Amino acid sequence: MPYVKIEVTREGVTREQKQELIAGVTQLITEVLDKDPHLTHVVIQEVELDDWGYAGEQVSVLREKGITANRKQ
């Protein structure tokens, strides 16, 4: 019974985006590991910006500096 936990910062991930993540991860587990999708569990946990750090800084501080995880276009 696969269990996948996805942690993201609490920055407006929509219900539709979460559904897409759940469906996509379930499909990947099914294809790669040949697991039953009905027994695959996916949990999405949102973490407050103050509770997530990277390179010695809280993400909230990084956002204030204009640093994001968005791909550059």
Side-chain angles (χ1 to χ4, degrees):
M1 172 173 66
Y3 168 84
V4 178
K5 182 177 180 182
I6 300 170
E7 292 185 89
V8 296
T9 53
R10 189 177 307 256
E11 295 183 89
V13 178
T14 67
R15 182 179 187 178
E16 292 78 16
Q17 289 171 320
K18 290 176 185 179
Q19 176 55 44
E20 192 172 338
L21 283 171
I22 291 167
V25 167
T26 300
Q27 180 178 353
L28 183 65
I29 294 290
T30 300
E31 291 173 3
V32 173
L33 299 179
D34 195 30
K35 297 296 183 179
D36 184 344
H38 295 100
L39 298 176
T40 299
H41 299 263
V42 180
V43 174
I44 299 173
Q45 181 174 3
E46 294 182 280
V47 179
E48 295 294 337
L49 297 179
D50 286 343
D51 297 333
W52 192 302
Y54 174 75
E57 299 250 30
Q58 288 172 297
V59 172
S60 56
V61 173
L62 295 171
R63 295 297 183 265
E64 290 170 1
K65 294 179 179 180
I67 299 169
T68 70
N70 295 335
R71 290 187 281 178
K72 303 288 184 213
Q73 298 202 12

